[in-house]
Amino acid sequence: MISHLITVMVLVSLAMAAVALYLLPVLIGTARHVPGLAAIAVIDALLGWTFFGWVVALALALRPVYPAGPVVQLVQHLPPPSLPPGHLAGAGWAGPPGPPPPRPESPPPLLLPPQSAGPGPPG
């Protein structure tokens, strides 16, 4: 009974070690914060069994990682834009809400005669 338990524990440990070795490129890339970790994981998962894919994924995980430069935020205090001549600051539509009143040069509205109730369809 104990020998079976030890056998199961050894087999489970070997399986976990094999999975860790298979995913070693992903684990290294995660620890090193390598950009493009998703590509490493896909290559390792899909092509890792060929050993060539595993070596490629490992090479990608071990490539040099250059730190990003400092983030600089540029703040400019520009003068306000100059207004065209004759334009008043703050001027705009100050009329009542709704459509603007009709202009004098606009044509009168089109009025249609009411429809008379003529004879129905021939029957």
Side-chain angles (χ1 to χ4, degrees):
M1 179 72 174
I2 297 289
S3 64
H4 293 299
L5 185 60
I6 292 174
T7 304
V8 169
M9 286 177 27
V10 168
L11 290 176
V12 168
S13 298
L14 287 174
M16 287 174 48
V19 169
L21 183 65
Y22 188 80
L23 296 177
L24 186 65
V26 177
L27 298 174
I28 291 174
T30 302
R32 296 186 68 229
H33 301 288
V34 176
L37 185 62
I40 295 171
V42 168
I43 291 171
D44 191 27
L46 297 180
L47 299 174
W49 61 273
T50 63
F51 186 70
F52 176 74
W54 187 84
V55 170
V56 169
L58 185 63
L60 288 174
L62 292 174
R63 71 178 184 254
V65 178
Y66 301 106
V71 177
V72 177
Q73 183 176 3
L74 180 63
V75 178
Q76 293 181 339
H77 295 288
L78 300 174
S82 61
L83 299 174
H87 187 273
L88 299 175
W93 174 253
R103 295 180 290 179
E105 67 270 4
S106 64
L110 179 63
L111 297 175
L112 298 175
Q115 294 219 354
S116 63

